[in-house]
Amino acid sequence: MSEKKSMKLKFKGEKSHKKRQDGEGSTSKKRKREDDEGEHETDWVRPQQPTHIIGPTFLYHASDPPVCIAFDSTRTRVHLPSLPRTDPETSESIPLLSYEPKDVNHVWVVTHVAGTETINLRTPDGKFLSSDKVGLVTAGREARGPQEEWTAYVTEDGTIALQNVYGNYLGIDEVAGGGLALRADSETIGFQEKWWVKVQYGHMKKAGEEERKRKEIIEGMTTIDEAGTNRVHQAWGAEEIERKREKEKMKGIEFMDQFIIGT
């Protein structure tokens, strides 16, 4: 009987996780730790904040039918393929929040631009999602510039809105014949500009840990700065009290001089 092949997506640079079994058939310690935490490194999860959007990323829209942002490497263009409404194995309806990528061309690799709150979205073959001033969306450049930068916002319902450098939002637009096209020319966030996003748990977890470390460093620096400020204020306060004492002493001396002269 042939071994069942895993259907998990594989990405360049990603380490394969093989199960190491002991005499009782238990999995490796790392796998056991992941099981205890309830998530695996390659599980697809929803980011809770913009900084969690990093690494392999799947973006899809709750249109009818649902569509995802994909890259056609043959035609070198961005398109919106439809996602199945039902599970082909069970024929049951697929819940909106249960969608995961089944094709590597449906996945974008997100990186954060250093020193900013913006991100880049890269195709599997190294081209970046771009938008021009009129809202035309392409993915033909291998170099990053302002037009390849996007700012992510989490909306009130948990979806993500992506804003380009011109202040407009990425969304779907109905074209002739009832098809859908990707545009980035909306000045406001509406249904068409709201995207459901999934990232891999391992990348999101690492981003969260790095963010916590940065906050701890900043808080530590703030504490040191506050302590230094307090010392300066305390020293200034002591000097002020001493000056007041000297002033009162001089007044007393002047009063005594006047009393003696008057006598």
Side-chain angles (χ1 to χ4, degrees), residues 58-102:
F58 177 54
L59 302 97
Y60 63 102
H61 197 277
S63 55
D64 187 16
V67 296
C68 70
I69 304 178
F71 181 69
D72 186 337
S73 56
T74 303
R75 299 180 182 180
T76 319
R77 67 183 182 90
V78 182
H79 67 130
L80 297 169
S82 299
L83 299 175
R85 291 191 181 92
T86 58
D87 188 317
E89 295 182 359
T90 64
S91 298
E92 295 180 355
S93 296
I94 300 176
L96 181 62
L97 300 183
S98 297
Y99 281 106
E100 294 182 357
K102 303 299 181 184

